[in-house]
């Protein structure tokens, strides 16, 4: 009987709500949420924040779509926002009415996925390219050949991040097509190229930074900011902008339609549009934010870093990532399954 | 109705009442979900995960076949067959390695004097009860590029650049053999321990040859243990998820990882459900084979 | 004894292979513990002995939360599983077979026969629906799911003990017109206690060990030690992981040693 009483007591304890004034559950990419930013937010607003991480837009979407996830905030890339909207998964929270919205760079207000910003606010923008350990390979790194046709030195040491859109887009650029093309010959050529390249890859993984820093892996399809953080720990690594073309993207913060802590979520959206806080995000993630005045809080080294500044020579081949038609999305998904299974 | 029958009926009712909580919780949290998996395997995948409630056999079709992405021609699914083949092959190899190392170890422990035996058993129980993830992390540390083996070989100048061992079939095999080894030792030990060694000595005294003795005396002792150990290693290997995920790095995938992928990135829940049921069926086949083998054994004793 | 000096127990080659086996089992774990005392920031470089990673872990709120969740989850689930398994064992032992006994036995072993990953996705499907319908996202789902798969483990030792138990004492008590419940409390339960404790410990360890089911079912903020470790493994491969792993290893050693002492004192 004592055991039963004890059990009941424990159950009672475990179902008690957390003690803070409020809670906020954020679902974001891994290694993408600055701990100091969260700490500052918790202190400022007396809210207890829980951050849970995912490894790709597709994984996050699948989890949200399944229901019963318990998250308040999600950080989808621009190309995937329309899908969330179509499924009715985001709350029309009108962040454009928030006090700090005036700080958003006008260039990032009327974006194709959320014109006028009724659902989302900018998190950061960046590019997807390749990262190579130049101590191991000293040739040209501004090319998709790093992962699609790896040089001898890198064979078996290349990682590919599980970012379906970025990886397939770059393969399409390499075979001379446009992202989201419905031309099946181009798509087939891109898939063939990827499948042929796969045997030279070490992993298809959201790999931990230490795997590169410790040189377990020597190259990767990678995002610019992540590449910067690795370069800072291991100067051998450099980031390349493939001349065949590379995606330029923005990730966005949105409140989920079934969020339980909408007020706290709005506080967070407003909080990250403050220049000083946006600078904290850039400093941690290594990506540019879209908040005017944040430069004042960023170090000169960060602002001038080769990963955050697209070189003039590469600007012509940067392509803003877009949403494919549903048919092409379905083809992308099947190509990706075919590649990763 | 006579008193005896009523008493028995009462007893049956009381016993069912005692078992009721167990029956309820297992039904709700283990059997009902599986029934739902069966249902889901016959539905249509949603556009971005989850399912649409429309009957479809595509999930089951997808276990072994695939349609070409671009022209819809049907062929065997190379990828799934490769993963299935790899899962079975790596599980058999794991069973074999654990047999080679585990049987002599069990024999060694069982033939120690009683006090020493307790110590050695204790030594095998610790890894057995240590978290699987922790043991996988430990074995990963051995074969990383900057791990123990590579550092040692580099220092000895056996090699001049680290060998890539992680994310290969070898890595997955090594990891599984390491984490499942205690599962082989314990049942084999239990079988040997029951044996009265004076019997074997008696046989030998009767001038049986060494080989004859081994075949007729030793083998029958360890056989049931070997069968039990093999099944205990083979089944978790076949359905392994954590070890291949860490050691295989998304490239040397096994069935468990393929199933998980359909519920995440792959976004094809019906296919995932059908694959999950396929795995369950394989495990059940192994279990049935095991019961056949052991009950058959009992007959000829 | 044989005058040819033959001892069948001495199987040639068994001892060296057995020692090899123990070395293989222990070296990786020893290195893991050794690494956890590395003062260096990353696992690559050795910079002397230090306890800093243990200190860091004990100040790491995410780790402490995960430890708390694991402890609550394992304790409650093991308690529920043990109570339920004890009742079930009393139902299926010490009588002539009764109608439905075979099905109860099969049911009790069912969680053992289904691969963990399959059970995990099955639970994911059903729990997502319930969460959506009820809005409740607490620890209850994990507790009940863990209880369910822990039942067979708690059941095994209790059933074995009951089957081997001498019935004379209970019959004697019954002859003295003691009530059934009184007999159970004063006679059966004390005799059964060690097995119940063993069942509880088994269930506790099984719950603590679980990665897959917790990983699929957890709501935000419900990381257990193993799921936290799994996530951390993807993020950063720092020495703190080795410290946390070593702590988990220590827990296992303590539990095994504890159950060892318990059973040894008895015999």
């Amino acid at each position: 009987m004592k055991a039963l009483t004890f059990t009941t007591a424990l159950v009672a304890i475990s179902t008690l709500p957390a003690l803070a004034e409020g809670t906020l559950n954020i679902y974001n990419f891994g290694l993408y949420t600055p701990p100091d930013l969260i700490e500052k937010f918790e202190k400022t607003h007396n809210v207890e924040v829980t951050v849970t991480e995912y490894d790709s837009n597709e994984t996050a979407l699948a989890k949200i779509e399944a229901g019963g996830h318990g998250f308040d905030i999600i950080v989808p890339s621009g190309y995937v926002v329309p899908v969330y909207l179509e499924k009715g998964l985001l709350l029309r929270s009108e962040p454009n009415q928030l006090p700090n919205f005036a700080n958003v760079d006008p260039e990032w207000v009327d974006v194709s996925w959320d014109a006028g910003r009724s659902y989302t606010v900018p998190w950061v923008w960046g590019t997807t390219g390749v990262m190579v350990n130049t101590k191991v390979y000293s040739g040209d790194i501004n090319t998709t050949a790093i992962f699609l046709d790896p040089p001898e030195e890198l064979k078996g040491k290349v990682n590919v991040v599980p970012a379906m859109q970025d990886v397939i887009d770059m393969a399409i650029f390499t075979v001379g097509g446009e992202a989201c093309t419905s031309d099946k010959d181009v798509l087939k050529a891109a898939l063939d190229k990827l499948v042929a390249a796969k045997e030279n890859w070490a992993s298809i993984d959201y790999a931990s930074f230490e795997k590169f820093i410790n040189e377990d892996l020597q190259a990767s399809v990678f995002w610019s900011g992540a590449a910067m953080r690795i370069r800072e720990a291991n100067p051998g690594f450099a980031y390349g902008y493939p001349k065949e073309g590379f995606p330029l993207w923005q990730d966005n913060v949105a409140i989920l339609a079934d969020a339980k802590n909408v007020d706290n979520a709005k506080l967070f959206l407003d909080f990250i549009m403050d220049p000083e806080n946006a600078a904290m995000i850039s400093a941690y993630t290594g990506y540019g934010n879209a908040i005017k005045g944040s430069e004042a809080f960023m170090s000169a080294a960060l602002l001038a870093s080769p990963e955050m500044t697209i070189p003039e020579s590469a600007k012509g081949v940067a392509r803003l990532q877009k949403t494919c038609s549903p048919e092409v999305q379905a083809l992308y998904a099947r190509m990706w399954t075919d590649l990763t299974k | 109705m006579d008193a005896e029958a009523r008493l028995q009926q009462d007893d049956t009712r009381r016993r069912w009442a005692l078992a009721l909580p167990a029956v309820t919780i297992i039904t709700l949290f283990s059997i009902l979900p599986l029934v739902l998996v069966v249902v889901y395997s016959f539905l249509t995948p949603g556009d971005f995960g989850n399912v649409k409630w429309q009957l479809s056999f595509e999930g089951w079709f997808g276990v072994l076949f695939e349609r070409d992405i671009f022209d819809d021609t049907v062929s065997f699914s190379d990828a799934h067959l490769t993963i299935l083949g790899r899962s079975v092959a790596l599980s058999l190899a794991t069973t074999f390695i654990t047999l080679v190392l585990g049987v002599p170890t069990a024999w060694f422990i069982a033939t120690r004097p009683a006090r020493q035996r307790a110590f050695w058993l204790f030594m095998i129980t610790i890894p057995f009860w240590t978290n699987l993830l922790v043991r996988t992390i430990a074995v990963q540390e051995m074969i990383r590029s900057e791990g123990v083996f590579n550092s040692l070989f580099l220092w000895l100048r056996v090699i001049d650049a680290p060998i890539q061992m992680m994310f290969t079939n070898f890595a997955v095999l090594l990891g599984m053999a390491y984490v499942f080894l205690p599962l082989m030792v314990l049942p084999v030990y239990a079988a040997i321990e029951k044996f009265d060694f004076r019997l074997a000595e008696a046989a030998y005294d009767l001038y049986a040859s060494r080989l004859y003795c081994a075949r007729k005396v030793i083998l029958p002792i360890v056989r049931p243990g070997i069968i039990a150990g093999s099944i205990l290693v083979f089944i978790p290997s076949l359905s392994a998820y954590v070890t291949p995920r860490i050691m295989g790095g998304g490239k040397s995938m096994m069935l468990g990882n393929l199933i998980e992928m359909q519920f995440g990135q792959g976004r094809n829940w019906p296919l995932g459900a059908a694959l999950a049921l396929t795995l369950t069926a394989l495990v059940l086949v192994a279990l049935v084979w095991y019961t056949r083998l052991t009950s058959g054994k009992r007959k000829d004793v | 004894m044989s005058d040819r000096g033959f001892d069948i127990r001495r199987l040639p080659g068994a001892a060296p292979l057995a020692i090899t086996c123990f070395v293989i089992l222990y070296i990786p774990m020893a290195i893991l513990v050794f690494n956890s005392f590395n003062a260096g920031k990353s696992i690559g470089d050795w910079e002397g002995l230090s306890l800093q990673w243990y200190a860091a872990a004990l100040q790491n709120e995410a780790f402490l939360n995960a430890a708390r969740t694991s402890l609550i989850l394992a304790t409650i689930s093991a308690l529920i599983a043990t109570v339920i398994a004890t009742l079930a064992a009393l139902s299926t032992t010490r009588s002539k077979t009764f109608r439905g006994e075979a099905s109860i036995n099969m049911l009790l072993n069912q969680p053992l026969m289904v691969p963990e990953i399959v059970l995990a996705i099955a639970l994911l499907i059903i729990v997502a629906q319930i969460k959506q319908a009820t809005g409740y996202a607490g620890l209850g789902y994990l507790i009940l799911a863990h209880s369910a798969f822990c039942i067979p483990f708690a059941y095994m030792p209790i059933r074995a003990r009951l089957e081997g138990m001498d019935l004379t004492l209970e019959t004697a008590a019954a002859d003295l017109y003691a009530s059934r419940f009184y007999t159970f409390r004063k006679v059966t339960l004390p005799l059964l206690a060690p097995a119940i404790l063993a069942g509880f410990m088994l269930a506790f360890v099984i719950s603590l060990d679980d990665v897959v089911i917790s990983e699929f079912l957890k709501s935000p903020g419900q990381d257990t030690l193993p799921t936290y470790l799994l996530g951390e493994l993807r993020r950063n491969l720092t020495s703190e992981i080795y410290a946390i792993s070593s702590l988990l290893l220590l827990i296992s050693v303590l539990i095994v040693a504890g159950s060892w002492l318990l059973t040894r004192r008895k015999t």
Side-chain angles (χ1 to χ4, degrees), chain B residues 14-16 18 22 25 30-31 34 40 105 107 118 123 129-133 141 178 200 204-205 260, chain C residues 2 4 6 8-9 21 24-26 84 91 93 95 99 107 110 129 151 180 202 209 226 242 249 260:
Chain B
R14 193 176 60 88
R15 284 174 185 276
W16 264 98
L18 281 171
I25 196 164
S30 193
I31 292 176
L34 280 177
Y40 269 49
T105 308
W107 187 275
M123 294 297 279
W129 284 125
T130 301
N131 196 299
L132 179 89
L133 187 59
E141 181 56 24
Y178 178 72
Y204 199 67
D205 285 343
E260 189 255 3
Chain C
S2 166
R4 288 178 293 170
F6 172 69
I8 191 168
R9 274 171 260 205
C21 179
I24 291 174
L25 278 175
Y26 277 89
I84 288 178
S91 150
T93 50
S95 82
R99 255 210 0 238
L107 203 78
Q110 188 269 349
Q129 307 284 344
I151 288 175
R180 189 172 266 165
L202 255 170
D209 200 38
Y242 294 112
L249 187 65
W260 204 264

Side-chain angles (χ1 to χ4, degrees), chain A residues 3-4 6-7 10-11 13-15 25 30-31 48 50-53 55 63-71 205-211 213-214 216 258 260, chain C residues 42-44 61 65 72 75-76 79-80 83 124 127-129 131-132 135-140 143 215-216 218-222 231-238:
Chain A
L4 269 178
F6 182 53
T7 310
L10 272 171
V11 172
I13 292 166
S14 64
T15 49
N25 289 314
L31 298 161
E48 194 177 303
T50 306
V51 179
T52 308
E53 301 183 335
D55 59 4
K63 175 105 179 175
I64 300 299
E65 167 89 339
H69 46 78
F71 299 114
D205 195 12
Y206 199 77
S208 79
F209 289 178
E210 270 70 14
K211 289 224 171 93
I213 295 167
N214 295 333
D216 277 333
D258 46 0
K260 297 230 165 54
Chain C
S42 174
I43 30 190
E61 208 175 312
N65 276 332
I72 293 177
T75 312
I76 301 180
L79 272 175
I80 296 178
V83 171
L124 171 82
V127 167
Q129 307 284 344
K131 276 186 189 168
Q132 218 164 9
Y136 169 71
L139 209 53
I143 291 177
E215 175 74 13
F216 277 67
K218 65 178 191 198
S219 296
Q222 288 182 351
E232 216 37 36
L233 208 55
R234 300 206 121 187
R235 275 188 292 276
N236 293 303
L237 213 60
T238 60

Side-chain angles (χ1 to χ4, degrees), chain C:
Chain C
M1 283 286 124
S2 166
D3 50 11
R4 288 178 293 170
F6 172 69
D7 183 359
I8 191 168
R9 274 171 260 205
R10 226 179 266 149
L11 207 59
L17 266 171
I19 300 299
T20 315
C21 179
F22 281 108
V23 169
I24 291 174
L25 278 175
Y26 277 89
I27 288 236
M29 292 201 284
I31 286 175
L32 185 86
V33 174
F34 182 74
N35 272 332
S36 70
F37 293 108
N38 180 4
K41 191 166 180 207
S42 174
I43 30 190
D45 53 328
W46 176 254
E47 286 175 20
L49 278 174
S50 157
L51 282 174
Q52 72 179 99
W53 298 113
Y54 289 90
L58 293 177
Q59 278 163 7
N60 178 345
E61 208 175 312
F63 161 73
L64 291 176
N65 276 332
R68 193 176 309 132
T69 309
S70 266
L71 200 66
I72 293 177
L73 180 61
T75 312
I76 301 180
S77 310
L79 272 175
I80 296 178
T82 313
V83 171
I84 288 178
T86 309
L87 295 177
L90 286 169
S91 150
T92 56
T93 50
R94 306 186 301 163
S95 82
K96 288 178 286 185
T97 48
F98 61 98
R99 255 210 0 238
E101 190 187 338
S103 19
I104 290 180
N105 258 324
M106 222 168 84
L107 203 78
L108 283 169
N109 284 315
Q110 188 269 349
L112 292 178
M113 290 190 276
V114 181
E116 210 183 359
I117 180 79
V118 175
L119 196 54
I121 56 130
L123 283 163
L124 171 82
I125 290 175
I126 200 166
V127 167
Q129 307 284 344
I130 303 176
K131 276 186 189 168
Q132 218 164 9
T134 61
Y136 169 71
L139 209 53
Y141 302 106
L142 277 175
I143 291 177
L144 288 172
H146 275 230
S147 306
F149 71 69
C150 285
I151 288 175
F153 292 95
Y155 177 68
M156 282 187 295
I158 302 175
R159 185 196 151 100
R161 174 85 183 159
L162 273 170
E163 275 182 337
M165 222 151 91
D166 192 352
L167 284 175
T168 39
L169 267 174
E170 284 176 60
T171 324
D175 286 347
L176 294 170
Y177 298 100
S179 79
R180 189 172 266 165
F181 183 67
Y182 188 84
T183 315
F184 173 74
R185 219 162 57 102
K186 290 290 170 188
V187 182
T188 321
L189 200 56
L191 284 170
L192 201 55
I196 293 180
L197 192 63
F200 174 80
M201 279 165 119
L202 255 170
F204 185 86
V205 175
I206 293 293
S207 164
L208 199 66
D209 200 38
D210 173 72
V211 193
V212 184
I213 288 171
S214 310
E215 175 74 13
F216 277 67
L217 286 196
K218 65 178 191 198
S219 296
Q222 288 182 351
D223 261 317
T224 63
L225 276 181
T227 67
Y228 172 73
L229 207 53
L230 191 67
E232 216 37 36
L233 208 55
R234 300 206 121 187
R235 275 188 292 276
N236 293 303
L237 213 60
T238 60
S239 303
E240 200 177 319
I241 288 187
Y242 294 112
I244 294 171
S245 301
S246 303
L247 286 174
L248 271 171
L249 187 65
L250 181 70
I251 295 177
S252 316
V253 174
L254 288 178
I255 291 178
V256 177
S259 66
W260 204 264
L261 288 176
L262 269 171
T263 46
R264 286 198 65 181
R265 193 179 304 155
K266 194 170 54 71
T267 45

